[in-house]
Amino acid sequence: MSARKIDDAPAPAEAKNPIQVIERMMKLLDTLAEHADPVPLKLLALETGLHPSTAHRILGAMTQSGFVDRSDPGVYRLGIRLLELGSLVKSRISLRETAMPAMLKLHAATGESVNLGIRAGDEIVYVERTSSGRSSVRVVHIVGARAPLHTTATGKLFLVEDGIDKVRDYARRTGLPPSTPESLTTMPALEKELDKVRRHAVAFDLDEVEAGVRCIAAGIRDDSGELIAGLSLSTPSERFNPDWAPLVRETANEISRSLGYIAK
């Protein structure tokens, strides 16, 4: 790794420039984050371009506040305070508030209703929705509405996540009751459908919850990679456009990234 230009030794006036100090703190934190193991001061100075005495003084202040730990003399790593703050940020992230800007953008792009659904046992519960206002057709995906996993696009995402054994348990437990004549009510039909969902990372409901209403859904994951919700676009059947699937999937991915998910 080539050395960056080393800053001159700190002048007395440096302490009077808090913005510069903050920038140097961020340089040090970013560099520490790039290393899995504790980093010696000499290497930190080299990779940040800071004078060793400047790096040492700033690291000392960050060590006192818990942002950096000194594992051995002259060797540093990220501190526990960052974990505490990260946990606090995570606890304050609201799925609905985080999802809504992306939902509104998808609504503007398509003119159709966009829904946010979460799992509650053997059902999907819709917790947020943007209404299209373009049709008198009643869509079941209103806030607070519930629908079975096997009939909904979002529910199929969760069934794929469960794996085949749990899906069979679900089928035995519920009996796969139909909501419309188009609902999937047998295990072979459901397994075939879930295989498509697994391969394409997007699910469809084709008049399966409500006659005359179709839906496309993609999964939303949190920072741990867990599937926590589904984003779905619902339309009257006559306006249904399967070509919207990539847009729905990318919107769901955008929400996942906002929640801290990093695709592997």
Side-chain angles (χ1 to χ4, degrees):
M1 182 180 297
S2 60
R4 300 177 187 174
K5 181 178 181 295
I6 302 295
D7 288 355
D8 293 335
E14 179 190 70
K16 298 179 181 179
N17 188 343
I19 299 301
Q20 186 180 55
V21 174
I22 292 171
E23 288 174 349
R24 291 174 173 180
M25 286 175 60
M26 296 309 300
K27 273 186 180 182
L28 288 163
L29 289 174
D30 287 341
T31 302
L32 286 168
E34 292 173 359
H35 292 269
D37 298 321
V39 188
L41 173 62
K42 184 176 180 181
L43 181 58
L44 282 172
L46 180 68
E47 294 192 6
T48 59
L50 296 174
H51 192 281
S53 62
T54 299
H56 181 265
R57 189 181 64 259
I58 295 174
L59 287 164
M62 289 196 291
T63 298
Q64 290 180 359
S65 60
F67 288 101
V68 170
D69 285 338
R70 188 169 54 213
S71 56
D72 290 303
V75 181
Y76 300 87
R77 64 185 177 190
L78 295 178
I80 195 67
R81 181 62 177 153
L82 293 171
L83 179 62
E84 294 170 351
L85 292 176
S87 297
L88 185 62
V89 170
K90 180 180 177 181
S91 70
R92 292 179 178 177
I93 292 177
S94 163
L95 171 62
R96 292 167 69 176
E97 291 177 0
T98 302
M100 184 51 71
M103 290 175 66
L104 291 172
K105 187 166 65 173
L106 180 60
H107 170 75
T110 62
E112 303 294 351
S113 298
V114 180
N115 318 289
L116 184 66
I118 62 173
R119 183 175 186 169
D122 291 339
E123 297 178 309
I124 291 299
V125 179
Y126 295 93
V127 297
E128 195 58 88
R129 180 180 183 233
T130 67
S131 178
S132 73
R134 292 179 54 186
S135 173
S136 60
V137 174
R138 184 180 68 85
V139 177
V140 72
H141 306 146
I142 59 176
V143 173
R146 293 171 175 260
L149 296 176
H150 67 287
T151 62
T152 61
T154 292
K156 292 172 186 175
L157 297 169
F158 280 95
L159 289 175
V160 166
E161 200 78 357
D162 280 350
I164 190 61
D165 290 340
K166 289 185 178 180
V167 172
R168 288 171 179 159
D169 288 342
Y170 167 83
R172 284 192 292 268
R173 184 169 62 250
T174 64
L176 301 180
S179 299
T180 74
E182 303 302 321
S183 300
L184 303 178
T185 58
T186 68
M187 267 305 297
L190 183 57
E191 286 187 43
K192 184 177 179 181
E193 179 75 1
L194 296 182
D195 183 59
K196 294 179 184 177
V197 175
R198 187 179 299 106
R199 285 186 284 112
H200 299 291
V202 68
F204 294 92
D205 151 22
L206 303 179
D207 301 88
E208 297 165 54
V209 173
E210 184 175 1
V213 176
R214 296 189 172 189
C215 189
I216 308 169
I220 296 171
R221 298 182 182 275
D222 65 11
D223 63 323
S224 69
E226 180 182 356
L227 180 67
I228 59 169
L231 177 79
S232 58
L233 184 73
S234 55
T235 76
S237 297
E238 65 269 17
R239 290 206 303 265
F240 177 71
N241 183 355
D243 291 340
W244 279 329
L247 183 57
V248 173
R249 186 169 52 230
E250 178 49 41
T251 304
N253 290 342
E254 178 184 338
I255 297 170
S256 297
R257 289 191 294 269
S258 296
L259 294 170
Y261 174 66
I262 300 175
K264 296 179 180 178

